[in-house]
Amino acid sequence: MSSLLSKTYQTITLSETNDILTVTLNRPDKKNAMSLQMMAELINVAKTLKKDRAIRAVIINGAGDTFCAGIDLGDLNNPKNALMGLYELLKPTQSIFQKVCLIWREVPMPVIITTHGYCIGAGMQLALACDFRITTPDCQFAIMEAKWGLVPDMGLTQSAFHVVPVDTLKELTMTARLISAQEAEQLHLVSHVDDNPYERAQALAEEIANRSPDAVLASKRVINQMTKQSFCALYQEKMWQLKLMGGGKNRKLAIKKAKDNSVQFLKRQFS
């Protein structure tokens, strides 16, 4: 049994069956919106998994009626957290927002994510960083940041590379459009659509667990290397987010436009 099960977390729960670990986002009252606490706890689990030689696969899911409704803006905008968020964007290494997604590419076992309800913003970027994505037919997806006048900054330049075509990714990020599970499957945002995604994930995890764990690890490492980008791409995510948050008049208008579609944007500020 994994040593992870001896730990207690505030925003996630863990369970294990036959060397398959299930990580459940557990803030159903907040639609599993990602708080800084949840990010830290997910990173802690992944760091422990990097050293774990027994767990053969990981399944990530969400409690309640929604997988993940994005970042918890109330938590992020709390004065006690605002400076921390700014520091994360300014520091030269991966921000906590990037690491909570990209670290799942680094763990030595496959990671399968199952979604339902809504998978938007941070939830979508977390899903793209996992090895497989299985969803219910009624789930809706969006890369939502543009709706708020922001840019995806949670490792999308790494996780979406070679998962979806560049023009598709641009369309989804620029429009912030909600799409259905069926369209997400057609666009390769998800691997499978299934009425029982968790059962499908368990079956896939058990099938993979029947192979050599070293061969599985090697496959993940070799194929991920095909999609590895330089740190410059991650830096661009942070640089542009800082620009939009710090000096973007249109960003403030985007927040207003989310409630009142008659709001008009100013001319482009940046070049």
Side-chain angles (χ1 to χ4, degrees), residues 42-73:
L42 286 170
I43 290 170
N44 179 270
V45 170
K47 282 182 176 179
T48 304
L49 284 169
K50 284 185 179 184
K51 305 172 186 176
D52 194 298
R53 294 179 182 268
I55 294 296
R56 302 294 299 274
V58 177
I59 299 172
I60 300 177
N61 64 3
D65 59 8
T66 287
F67 168 67
C68 179
I71 288 278
D72 186 338
L73 292 175

PDB file of all heavy atoms in Angstrom, residues 42-73:
ATOM      1  N   LEU A  42      -1.833  18.737  -4.739  1.00  0.00           N
ATOM      2  CA  LEU A  42      -1.645  17.919  -5.937  1.00  0.00           C
ATOM      3  C   LEU A  42      -0.160  17.784  -6.269  1.00  0.00           C
ATOM      4  O   LEU A  42       0.316  16.695  -6.630  1.00  0.00           O
ATOM      5  CB  LEU A  42      -2.395  18.534  -7.122  1.00  0.00           C
ATOM      6  CG  LEU A  42      -3.915  18.380  -7.106  1.00  0.00           C
ATOM      7  CD1 LEU A  42      -4.553  19.244  -8.194  1.00  0.00           C
ATOM      8  CD2 LEU A  42      -4.319  16.924  -7.298  1.00  0.00           C
ATOM      9  N   ILE A  43       0.577  18.862  -6.141  1.00  0.00           N
ATOM     10  CA  ILE A  43       2.022  18.820  -6.399  1.00  0.00           C
ATOM     11  C   ILE A  43       2.712  17.907  -5.392  1.00  0.00           C
ATOM     12  O   ILE A  43       3.603  17.125  -5.751  1.00  0.00           O
ATOM     13  CB  ILE A  43       2.614  20.244  -6.362  1.00  0.00           C
ATOM     14  CG1 ILE A  43       2.128  21.046  -7.577  1.00  0.00           C
ATOM     15  CG2 ILE A  43       4.139  20.203  -6.331  1.00  0.00           C
ATOM     16  CD1 ILE A  43       2.447  22.534  -7.511  1.00  0.00           C
ATOM     17  N   ASN A  44       2.298  17.964  -4.137  1.00  0.00           N
ATOM     18  CA  ASN A  44       2.877  17.108  -3.105  1.00  0.00           C
ATOM     19  C   ASN A  44       2.671  15.632  -3.438  1.00  0.00           C
ATOM     20  O   ASN A  44       3.596  14.817  -3.310  1.00  0.00           O
ATOM     21  CB  ASN A  44       2.273  17.443  -1.744  1.00  0.00           C
ATOM     22  CG  ASN A  44       2.820  16.576  -0.628  1.00  0.00           C
ATOM     23  OD1 ASN A  44       2.290  15.509  -0.320  1.00  0.00           O
ATOM     24  ND2 ASN A  44       3.906  17.024  -0.013  1.00  0.00           N
ATOM     25  N   VAL A  45       1.457  15.287  -3.873  1.00  0.00           N
ATOM     26  CA  VAL A  45       1.170  13.895  -4.245  1.00  0.00           C
ATOM     27  C   VAL A  45       2.055  13.467  -5.418  1.00  0.00           C
ATOM     28  O   VAL A  45       2.664  12.390  -5.401  1.00  0.00           O
ATOM     29  CB  VAL A  45      -0.319  13.722  -4.606  1.00  0.00           C
ATOM     30  CG1 VAL A  45      -0.571  12.348  -5.230  1.00  0.00           C
ATOM     31  CG2 VAL A  45      -1.187  13.887  -3.368  1.00  0.00           C
ATOM     32  N   ALA A  46       2.145  14.308  -6.433  1.00  0.00           N
ATOM     33  CA  ALA A  46       2.935  13.966  -7.610  1.00  0.00           C
ATOM     34  C   ALA A  46       4.417  13.815  -7.265  1.00  0.00           C
ATOM     35  O   ALA A  46       5.091  12.918  -7.780  1.00  0.00           O
ATOM     36  CB  ALA A  46       2.742  15.019  -8.694  1.00  0.00           C
ATOM     37  N   LYS A  47       4.935  14.686  -6.406  1.00  0.00           N
ATOM     38  CA  LYS A  47       6.339  14.577  -5.998  1.00  0.00           C
ATOM     39  C   LYS A  47       6.591  13.247  -5.296  1.00  0.00           C
ATOM     40  O   LYS A  47       7.637  12.609  -5.500  1.00  0.00           O
ATOM     41  CB  LYS A  47       6.709  15.739  -5.074  1.00  0.00           C
ATOM     42  CG  LYS A  47       6.956  17.054  -5.790  1.00  0.00           C
ATOM     43  CD  LYS A  47       7.356  18.141  -4.797  1.00  0.00           C
ATOM     44  CE  LYS A  47       7.710  19.443  -5.509  1.00  0.00           C
ATOM     45  NZ  LYS A  47       8.076  20.514  -4.542  1.00  0.00           N
ATOM     46  N   THR A  48       5.652  12.824  -4.455  1.00  0.00           N
ATOM     47  CA  THR A  48       5.795  11.536  -3.770  1.00  0.00           C
ATOM     48  C   THR A  48       5.740  10.393  -4.768  1.00  0.00           C
ATOM     49  O   THR A  48       6.496   9.419  -4.654  1.00  0.00           O
ATOM     50  CB  THR A  48       4.692  11.376  -2.707  1.00  0.00           C
ATOM     51  OG1 THR A  48       4.735  12.489  -1.811  1.00  0.00           O
ATOM     52  CG2 THR A  48       4.880  10.093  -1.918  1.00  0.00           C
ATOM     53  N   LEU A  49       4.875  10.514  -5.768  1.00  0.00           N
ATOM     54  CA  LEU A  49       4.746   9.468  -6.780  1.00  0.00           C
ATOM     55  C   LEU A  49       6.014   9.312  -7.622  1.00  0.00           C
ATOM     56  O   LEU A  49       6.299   8.232  -8.132  1.00  0.00           O
ATOM     57  CB  LEU A  49       3.555   9.764  -7.696  1.00  0.00           C
ATOM     58  CG  LEU A  49       2.173   9.490  -7.107  1.00  0.00           C
ATOM     59  CD1 LEU A  49       1.085  10.069  -8.001  1.00  0.00           C
ATOM     60  CD2 LEU A  49       1.961   7.993  -6.921  1.00  0.00           C
ATOM     61  N   LYS A  50       6.780  10.393  -7.755  1.00  0.00           N
ATOM     62  CA  LYS A  50       8.030  10.302  -8.512  1.00  0.00           C
ATOM     63  C   LYS A  50       8.981   9.272  -7.915  1.00  0.00           C
ATOM     64  O   LYS A  50       9.802   8.685  -8.628  1.00  0.00           O
ATOM     65  CB  LYS A  50       8.725  11.672  -8.547  1.00  0.00           C
ATOM     66  CG  LYS A  50       8.116  12.685  -9.489  1.00  0.00           C
ATOM     67  CD  LYS A  50       8.987  13.936  -9.501  1.00  0.00           C
ATOM     68  CE  LYS A  50       8.461  14.998 -10.427  1.00  0.00           C
ATOM     69  NZ  LYS A  50       9.356  16.169 -10.497  1.00  0.00           N
ATOM     70  N   LYS A  51       8.859   9.040  -6.595  1.00  0.00           N
ATOM     71  CA  LYS A  51       9.750   8.107  -5.899  1.00  0.00           C
ATOM     72  C   LYS A  51       9.080   6.753  -5.653  1.00  0.00           C
ATOM     73  O   LYS A  51       9.708   5.849  -5.109  1.00  0.00           O
ATOM     74  CB  LYS A  51      10.175   8.712  -4.560  1.00  0.00           C
ATOM     75  CG  LYS A  51      10.820  10.094  -4.681  1.00  0.00           C
ATOM     76  CD  LYS A  51      11.027  10.702  -3.305  1.00  0.00           C
ATOM     77  CE  LYS A  51      11.531  12.135  -3.399  1.00  0.00           C
ATOM     78  NZ  LYS A  51      11.650  12.786  -2.065  1.00  0.00           N
ATOM     79  N   ASP A  52       7.805   6.640  -6.021  1.00  0.00           N
ATOM     80  CA  ASP A  52       7.042   5.432  -5.724  1.00  0.00           C
ATOM     81  C   ASP A  52       7.259   4.384  -6.812  1.00  0.00           C
ATOM     82  O   ASP A  52       7.042   4.652  -7.993  1.00  0.00           O
ATOM     83  CB  ASP A  52       5.547   5.786  -5.620  1.00  0.00           C
ATOM     84  CG  ASP A  52       4.738   4.665  -4.994  1.00  0.00           C
ATOM     85  OD1 ASP A  52       4.710   3.572  -5.588  1.00  0.00           O
ATOM     86  OD2 ASP A  52       4.130   4.873  -3.933  1.00  0.00           O
ATOM     87  N   ARG A  53       7.670   3.174  -6.421  1.00  0.00           N
ATOM     88  CA  ARG A  53       7.917   2.110  -7.393  1.00  0.00           C
ATOM     89  C   ARG A  53       6.807   1.060  -7.414  1.00  0.00           C
ATOM     90  O   ARG A  53       6.892   0.087  -8.168  1.00  0.00           O
ATOM     91  CB  ARG A  53       9.263   1.448  -7.106  1.00  0.00           C
ATOM     92  CG  ARG A  53      10.444   2.388  -7.319  1.00  0.00           C
ATOM     93  CD  ARG A  53      11.773   1.709  -7.006  1.00  0.00           C
ATOM     94  NE  ARG A  53      12.870   2.645  -7.185  1.00  0.00           N
ATOM     95  CZ  ARG A  53      13.560   2.785  -8.325  1.00  0.00           C
ATOM     96  NH1 ARG A  53      13.246   2.051  -9.387  1.00  0.00           N
ATOM     97  NH2 ARG A  53      14.552   3.651  -8.399  1.00  0.00           N
ATOM     98  N   ALA A  54       5.777   1.256  -6.573  1.00  0.00           N
ATOM     99  CA  ALA A  54       4.701   0.268  -6.490  1.00  0.00           C
ATOM    100  C   ALA A  54       3.463   0.662  -7.279  1.00  0.00           C
ATOM    101  O   ALA A  54       2.818  -0.179  -7.912  1.00  0.00           O
ATOM    102  CB  ALA A  54       4.329   0.024  -5.024  1.00  0.00           C
ATOM    103  N   ILE A  55       3.101   1.947  -7.249  1.00  0.00           N
ATOM    104  CA  ILE A  55       1.893   2.399  -7.952  1.00  0.00           C
ATOM    105  C   ILE A  55       2.095   2.222  -9.454  1.00  0.00           C
ATOM    106  O   ILE A  55       3.083   2.671 -10.027  1.00  0.00           O
ATOM    107  CB  ILE A  55       1.577   3.867  -7.620  1.00  0.00           C
ATOM    108  CG1 ILE A  55       1.208   4.012  -6.145  1.00  0.00           C
ATOM    109  CG2 ILE A  55       0.449   4.400  -8.503  1.00  0.00           C
ATOM    110  CD1 ILE A  55      -0.052   3.280  -5.741  1.00  0.00           C
ATOM    111  N   ARG A  56       1.128   1.585 -10.104  1.00  0.00           N
ATOM    112  CA  ARG A  56       1.262   1.272 -11.529  1.00  0.00           C
ATOM    113  C   ARG A  56       0.530   2.260 -12.434  1.00  0.00           C
ATOM    114  O   ARG A  56       0.833   2.360 -13.618  1.00  0.00           O
ATOM    115  CB  ARG A  56       0.735  -0.150 -11.797  1.00  0.00           C
ATOM    116  CG  ARG A  56       1.452  -1.226 -10.991  1.00  0.00           C
ATOM    117  CD  ARG A  56       2.912  -1.370 -11.386  1.00  0.00           C
ATOM    118  NE  ARG A  56       3.050  -1.755 -12.764  1.00  0.00           N
ATOM    119  CZ  ARG A  56       3.014  -3.031 -13.200  1.00  0.00           C
ATOM    120  NH1 ARG A  56       2.846  -4.011 -12.316  1.00  0.00           N
ATOM    121  NH2 ARG A  56       3.152  -3.310 -14.474  1.00  0.00           N
ATOM    122  N   ALA A  57      -0.457   2.959 -11.882  1.00  0.00           N
ATOM    123  CA  ALA A  57      -1.196   3.958 -12.664  1.00  0.00           C
ATOM    124  C   ALA A  57      -1.924   4.878 -11.703  1.00  0.00           C
ATOM    125  O   ALA A  57      -2.177   4.535 -10.542  1.00  0.00           O
ATOM    126  CB  ALA A  57      -2.191   3.294 -13.612  1.00  0.00           C
ATOM    127  N   VAL A  58      -2.248   6.088 -12.186  1.00  0.00           N
ATOM    128  CA  VAL A  58      -2.969   7.082 -11.395  1.00  0.00           C
ATOM    129  C   VAL A  58      -4.220   7.494 -12.161  1.00  0.00           C
ATOM    130  O   VAL A  58      -4.173   7.709 -13.380  1.00  0.00           O
ATOM    131  CB  VAL A  58      -2.098   8.325 -11.127  1.00  0.00           C
ATOM    132  CG1 VAL A  58      -2.883   9.390 -10.364  1.00  0.00           C
ATOM    133  CG2 VAL A  58      -0.834   7.951 -10.365  1.00  0.00           C
ATOM    134  N   ILE A  59      -5.331   7.591 -11.444  1.00  0.00           N
ATOM    135  CA  ILE A  59      -6.574   8.124 -12.007  1.00  0.00           C
ATOM    136  C   ILE A  59      -6.924   9.391 -11.240  1.00  0.00           C
ATOM    137  O   ILE A  59      -6.949   9.385 -10.002  1.00  0.00           O
ATOM    138  CB  ILE A  59      -7.729   7.109 -11.900  1.00  0.00           C
ATOM    139  CG1 ILE A  59      -7.387   5.826 -12.671  1.00  0.00           C
ATOM    140  CG2 ILE A  59      -9.034   7.719 -12.429  1.00  0.00           C
ATOM    141  CD1 ILE A  59      -8.398   4.698 -12.465  1.00  0.00           C
ATOM    142  N   ILE A  60      -7.169  10.459 -11.946  1.00  0.00           N
ATOM    143  CA  ILE A  60      -7.600  11.716 -11.322  1.00  0.00           C
ATOM    144  C   ILE A  60      -9.062  11.961 -11.689  1.00  0.00           C
ATOM    145  O   ILE A  60      -9.423  11.889 -12.878  1.00  0.00           O
ATOM    146  CB  ILE A  60      -6.734  12.909 -11.786  1.00  0.00           C
ATOM    147  CG1 ILE A  60      -5.262  12.684 -11.430  1.00  0.00           C
ATOM    148  CG2 ILE A  60      -7.235  14.212 -11.163  1.00  0.00           C
ATOM    149  CD1 ILE A  60      -4.335  13.781 -11.929  1.00  0.00           C
ATOM    150  N   ASN A  61      -9.906  12.223 -10.702  1.00  0.00           N
ATOM    151  CA  ASN A  61     -11.308  12.547 -10.969  1.00  0.00           C
ATOM    152  C   ASN A  61     -11.757  13.664 -10.035  1.00  0.00           C
ATOM    153  O   ASN A  61     -10.953  14.229  -9.299  1.00  0.00           O
ATOM    154  CB  ASN A  61     -12.198  11.293 -10.854  1.00  0.00           C
ATOM    155  CG  ASN A  61     -12.210  10.714  -9.447  1.00  0.00           C
ATOM    156  OD1 ASN A  61     -11.610  11.260  -8.522  1.00  0.00           O
ATOM    157  ND2 ASN A  61     -12.885   9.594  -9.266  1.00  0.00           N
ATOM    158  N   GLY A  62     -13.038  13.996 -10.093  1.00  0.00           N
ATOM    159  CA  GLY A  62     -13.555  15.078  -9.276  1.00  0.00           C
ATOM    160  C   GLY A  62     -14.830  14.675  -8.554  1.00  0.00           C
ATOM    161  O   GLY A  62     -15.678  13.977  -9.128  1.00  0.00           O
ATOM    162  N   ALA A  63     -14.975  15.115  -7.298  1.00  0.00           N
ATOM    163  CA  ALA A  63     -16.191  14.845  -6.529  1.00  0.00           C
ATOM    164  C   ALA A  63     -17.292  15.811  -6.936  1.00  0.00           C
ATOM    165  O   ALA A  63     -17.028  16.909  -7.447  1.00  0.00           O
ATOM    166  CB  ALA A  63     -15.893  14.994  -5.043  1.00  0.00           C
ATOM    167  N   GLY A  64     -18.555  15.406  -6.722  1.00  0.00           N
ATOM    168  CA  GLY A  64     -19.676  16.294  -7.009  1.00  0.00           C
ATOM    169  C   GLY A  64     -20.081  16.279  -8.465  1.00  0.00           C
ATOM    170  O   GLY A  64     -19.794  15.329  -9.204  1.00  0.00           O
ATOM    171  N   ASP A  65     -20.753  17.350  -8.895  1.00  0.00           N
ATOM    172  CA  ASP A  65     -21.349  17.363 -10.229  1.00  0.00           C
ATOM    173  C   ASP A  65     -20.462  17.994 -11.299  1.00  0.00           C
ATOM    174  O   ASP A  65     -20.872  18.115 -12.451  1.00  0.00           O
ATOM    175  CB  ASP A  65     -22.712  18.068 -10.202  1.00  0.00           C
ATOM    176  CG  ASP A  65     -22.620  19.521  -9.715  1.00  0.00           C
ATOM    177  OD1 ASP A  65     -21.489  20.024  -9.536  1.00  0.00           O
ATOM    178  OD2 ASP A  65     -23.682  20.136  -9.512  1.00  0.00           O
ATOM    179  N   THR A  66     -19.259  18.422 -10.930  1.00  0.00           N
ATOM    180  CA  THR A  66     -18.351  19.055 -11.888  1.00  0.00           C
ATOM    181  C   THR A  66     -16.931  18.584 -11.627  1.00  0.00           C
ATOM    182  O   THR A  66     -16.503  18.534 -10.469  1.00  0.00           O
ATOM    183  CB  THR A  66     -18.425  20.586 -11.768  1.00  0.00           C
ATOM    184  OG1 THR A  66     -19.660  21.038 -12.327  1.00  0.00           O
ATOM    185  CG2 THR A  66     -17.290  21.274 -12.520  1.00  0.00           C
ATOM    186  N   PHE A  67     -16.206  18.272 -12.690  1.00  0.00           N
ATOM    187  CA  PHE A  67     -14.808  17.878 -12.517  1.00  0.00           C
ATOM    188  C   PHE A  67     -13.983  19.044 -11.990  1.00  0.00           C
ATOM    189  O   PHE A  67     -13.362  18.951 -10.933  1.00  0.00           O
ATOM    190  CB  PHE A  67     -14.211  17.364 -13.826  1.00  0.00           C
ATOM    191  CG  PHE A  67     -12.719  17.235 -13.759  1.00  0.00           C
ATOM    192  CD1 PHE A  67     -12.146  16.286 -12.933  1.00  0.00           C
ATOM    193  CD2 PHE A  67     -11.890  18.089 -14.471  1.00  0.00           C
ATOM    194  CE1 PHE A  67     -10.756  16.184 -12.810  1.00  0.00           C
ATOM    195  CE2 PHE A  67     -10.505  17.993 -14.360  1.00  0.00           C
ATOM    196  CZ  PHE A  67      -9.931  17.041 -13.537  1.00  0.00           C
ATOM    197  N   CYS A  68     -13.977  20.162 -12.716  1.00  0.00           N
ATOM    198  CA  CYS A  68     -13.224  21.339 -12.257  1.00  0.00           C
ATOM    199  C   CYS A  68     -13.684  22.570 -13.020  1.00  0.00           C
ATOM    200  O   CYS A  68     -13.659  22.589 -14.251  1.00  0.00           O
ATOM    201  CB  CYS A  68     -11.720  21.144 -12.450  1.00  0.00           C
ATOM    202  SG  CYS A  68     -10.729  22.563 -11.924  1.00  0.00           S
ATOM    203  N   ALA A  69     -14.088  23.597 -12.272  1.00  0.00           N
ATOM    204  CA  ALA A  69     -14.605  24.833 -12.865  1.00  0.00           C
ATOM    205  C   ALA A  69     -13.523  25.888 -13.038  1.00  0.00           C
ATOM    206  O   ALA A  69     -13.827  27.069 -13.186  1.00  0.00           O
ATOM    207  CB  ALA A  69     -15.741  25.379 -12.009  1.00  0.00           C
ATOM    208  N   GLY A  70     -12.249  25.485 -13.005  1.00  0.00           N
ATOM    209  CA  GLY A  70     -11.167  26.433 -13.231  1.00  0.00           C
ATOM    210  C   GLY A  70     -10.488  26.869 -11.954  1.00  0.00           C
ATOM    211  O   GLY A  70     -10.571  26.207 -10.917  1.00  0.00           O
ATOM    212  N   ILE A  71      -9.792  27.992 -12.022  1.00  0.00           N
ATOM    213  CA  ILE A  71      -9.108  28.554 -10.852  1.00  0.00           C
ATOM    214  C   ILE A  71     -10.139  29.145  -9.895  1.00  0.00           C
ATOM    215  O   ILE A  71     -11.138  29.724 -10.320  1.00  0.00           O
ATOM    216  CB  ILE A  71      -8.135  29.673 -11.303  1.00  0.00           C
ATOM    217  CG1 ILE A  71      -6.925  29.063 -12.024  1.00  0.00           C
ATOM    218  CG2 ILE A  71      -7.685  30.523 -10.130  1.00  0.00           C
ATOM    219  CD1 ILE A  71      -5.847  28.544 -11.115  1.00  0.00           C
ATOM    220  N   ASP A  72      -9.879  29.010  -8.608  1.00  0.00           N
ATOM    221  CA  ASP A  72     -10.711  29.664  -7.597  1.00  0.00           C
ATOM    222  C   ASP A  72     -10.262  31.122  -7.511  1.00  0.00           C
ATOM    223  O   ASP A  72      -9.312  31.463  -6.792  1.00  0.00           O
ATOM    224  CB  ASP A  72     -10.546  28.962  -6.249  1.00  0.00           C
ATOM    225  CG  ASP A  72     -11.492  29.501  -5.186  1.00  0.00           C
ATOM    226  OD1 ASP A  72     -11.958  30.647  -5.333  1.00  0.00           O
ATOM    227  OD2 ASP A  72     -11.748  28.783  -4.202  1.00  0.00           O
ATOM    228  N   LEU A  73     -10.932  31.999  -8.254  1.00  0.00           N
ATOM    229  CA  LEU A  73     -10.519  33.405  -8.310  1.00  0.00           C
ATOM    230  C   LEU A  73     -10.678  34.098  -6.964  1.00  0.00           C
ATOM    231  O   LEU A  73      -9.903  34.993  -6.623  1.00  0.00           O
ATOM    232  CB  LEU A  73     -11.321  34.133  -9.388  1.00  0.00           C
ATOM    233  CG  LEU A  73     -11.022  33.711 -10.838  1.00  0.00           C
ATOM    234  CD1 LEU A  73     -11.954  34.420 -11.803  1.00  0.00           C
ATOM    235  CD2 LEU A  73      -9.567  33.988 -11.189  1.00  0.00           C
TER     236      LEU A  73
END
